[in-house]
């Protein structure tokens, strides 16, 4: 056990033990995305209380538990990941029917968002058994909280997660983001970050907040233009290492109707009409700048060829 967490275990019992934790319930537990101190007191208490801990990777979770001073035998850990989730969910259901408390954790962050867990939750709810959320760390909300997005015209955000690995499909996905008026949250692994940066360059001056290794020792946060992301990555050798969370800011609004509406219309027209005709009609319909739409059309056409 990391000695610094000994008092945290005591505090978790004092803070959370008086609450009700029904048997035969699934507890969806958020765990830190990097910094071990980001665990919640209620999560520590439930991880001690649970009869079974279902987890994405048993070895990773065992190491996490030991860091907090929580001992679990291998028999109390149930592997449940993207390759066996449907089958493992049936094993979890049997344990729940027997009255066990099961805590589910992914490798990091809040389960069932990008990580496994959604099929398990759906199966448990379909059986009429209780599912209890324990909120905590999430790479999505962590990145959004430091992006500094202020937009009085459009609220909310889109969670796109990992874009397709194939170049053509990734390019098509990025093209679809060009007309998205809301902020978009993307996730990416280090070995695929450079191709993604190259694809995002087609979005030009669209602001992009980069979160690399969030909450960890070498955390780095920066906001650049989408077209400058590749240059930012290559400016320092270590920048292609670590996990990435990206926030693509909302497309800027240039006039009363907004370029975002013009871009949406432009994308539809480009699929059927020549570029200049599509630009003219999109500008006439939306009131957006023809020059702005023309530049966007060129970028979209180029992106579709990559």
């Amino acid at each position: 056990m990391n000695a610094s967490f000994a008092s945290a275990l005591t505090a978790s019992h004092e803070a959370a033990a008086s609450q009700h934790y029904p048997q035969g319930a699934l507890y969806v537990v958020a765990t830190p995305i990097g910094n071990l101190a980001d665990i919640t007191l209620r999560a520590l208490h439930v991880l001690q209380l649970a009869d079974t801990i279902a987890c994405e990777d048993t070895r990773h979770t065992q190491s996490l538990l030991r860091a907090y001073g929580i001992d679990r035998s291998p028999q109390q850990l149930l592997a449940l990941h993207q390759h066996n989730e449907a089958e493992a969910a049936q094993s979890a259901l049997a344990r729940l029917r027997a009255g066990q408390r099961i805590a589910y954790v992914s490798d990091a962050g809040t389960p069932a968002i990008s990580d496994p867990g959604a099929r398990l939750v759906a199966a448990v709810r379909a059986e009429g058994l209780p599912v209890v959320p324990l909120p905590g760390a999430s790479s999505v909300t962590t990145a959004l909280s430091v992006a500094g997005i202020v937009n009085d015209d459009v609220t909310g955000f889109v969670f796109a997660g990992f874009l397709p690995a194939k170049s053509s499909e990734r390019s098509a996905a990025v093209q679809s983001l060009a007309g998205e008026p809301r902020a978009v949250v993307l996730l990416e692994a280090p070995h695929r970050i450079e191709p993604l940066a190259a694809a995002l360059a087609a979005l030009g001056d669209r602001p992009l907040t980069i979160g690399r290794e969030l909450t960890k020792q070498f955390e780095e946060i920066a906001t650049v233009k989408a077209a400058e992301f590749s240059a930012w990555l290559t400016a320092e050798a270590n920048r292609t290492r670590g996990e990435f969370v990206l926030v693509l800011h909302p497309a800027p609004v240039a006039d009363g109707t907004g370029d975002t509406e013009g871009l949406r219309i432009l994308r539809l027209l480009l699929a059927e009409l020549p570029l200049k005709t599509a630009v003219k009609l999109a500008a006439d319909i939306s009131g957006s700048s023809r020059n702005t739409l023309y530049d966007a059309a060129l970028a979209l056409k180029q992106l579709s060829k990559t």
Side-chain angles (χ1 to χ4, degrees):
M1 178 180 69
N2 186 327
S4 60
F5 289 111
S7 59
L9 288 181
T10 301
S12 72
H13 180 77
E14 293 177 350
S18 62
Q19 300 172 24
H20 180 53
Y21 300 92
Q23 293 180 315
L26 174 68
Y27 296 83
V28 182
V29 183
T31 56
I33 61 175
N35 192 317
L36 290 179
D38 289 337
I39 192 76
T40 69
L41 294 177
R42 194 154 68 111
L44 286 175
H45 181 71
V46 166
L47 290 173
Q48 294 175 87
L49 184 67
D51 302 292
T52 296
I53 298 177
C55 46
E56 187 175 0
D57 185 324
T58 56
R59 291 170 299 179
H60 176 89
T61 298
Q62 189 71 279
S63 296
L64 182 72
L65 295 173
R66 286 171 179 162
Y68 296 127
I70 300 172
D71 293 321
R72 285 291 180 268
S73 68
Q75 292 72 30
Q76 291 177 291
L77 299 181
L78 173 65
L80 192 149
H81 45 74
Q82 63 176 337
H83 303 296
N84 78 338
E85 188 168 356
E87 177 184 351
Q90 296 307 308
S91 177
L93 284 171
R95 299 188 189 205
L96 289 171
R97 294 189 196 103
Q100 288 193 14
R101 298 181 181 94
I102 298 180
Y104 181 71
V105 299
S106 60
D107 285 350
T110 301
I113 306 300
S114 179
D115 294 337
R119 287 185 175 85
L120 172 62
V121 170
V124 173
R125 293 182 64 85
E127 289 288 314
L129 297 169
V131 179
V132 182
L134 271 69
S138 165
S139 62
V140 175
T141 53
T142 299
L144 283 167
S145 72
V146 293
I149 294 172
V150 179
N151 190 335
D152 295 329
D153 299 290
V154 180
T155 59
F157 67 93
V158 175
F159 175 64
F162 291 91
L163 295 189
K166 290 183 62 176
S167 176
S168 59
E169 294 176 2
R170 180 172 56 242
S171 296
V174 171
Q175 181 176 337
S176 71
L177 300 180
E180 174 54 61
R182 294 165 293 180
V184 180
V185 180
L186 303 170
L187 305 178
E188 196 51 274
H191 67 280
R192 298 196 333 184
I193 194 62
E194 291 180 283
L196 177 60
L200 289 173
L203 300 181
D205 290 344
R206 188 93 170 254
L208 180 72
T209 293
I210 305 157
R212 187 181 75 85
E213 292 287 84
L214 289 174
T215 79
K216 300 178 184 177
Q217 181 179 358
F218 299 107
E219 175 183 84
E220 194 165 8
I221 299 168
T223 298
V224 302
K225 295 177 180 178
E228 298 172 352
F229 185 23
S230 290
W232 183 89
L233 283 173
T234 57
E236 293 185 16
N238 288 328
R239 280 186 174 166
T240 55
R241 299 178 181 177
E243 301 297 321
F244 286 83
V245 186
L246 309 174
V247 180
L248 183 65
H249 290 228
V253 176
D255 52 44
T257 55
D259 281 348
T260 54
E261 178 66 9
L263 284 170
R264 187 186 69 81
I265 295 170
L266 176 64
R267 286 177 48 241
L268 297 173
L269 294 176
L270 281 173
E272 306 293 339
L273 299 172
L275 186 145
K276 289 186 178 179
T277 304
V279 168
K280 180 181 184 302
L281 288 175
D284 290 344
I285 294 169
S286 68
S288 299
S289 163
R290 187 175 298 187
N291 288 338
T292 299
L293 292 177
Y294 184 77
D295 290 342
L298 291 177
L300 290 170
K301 285 289 187 181
Q302 181 61 36
L303 182 59
S304 66
K305 297 176 183 178
T306 57

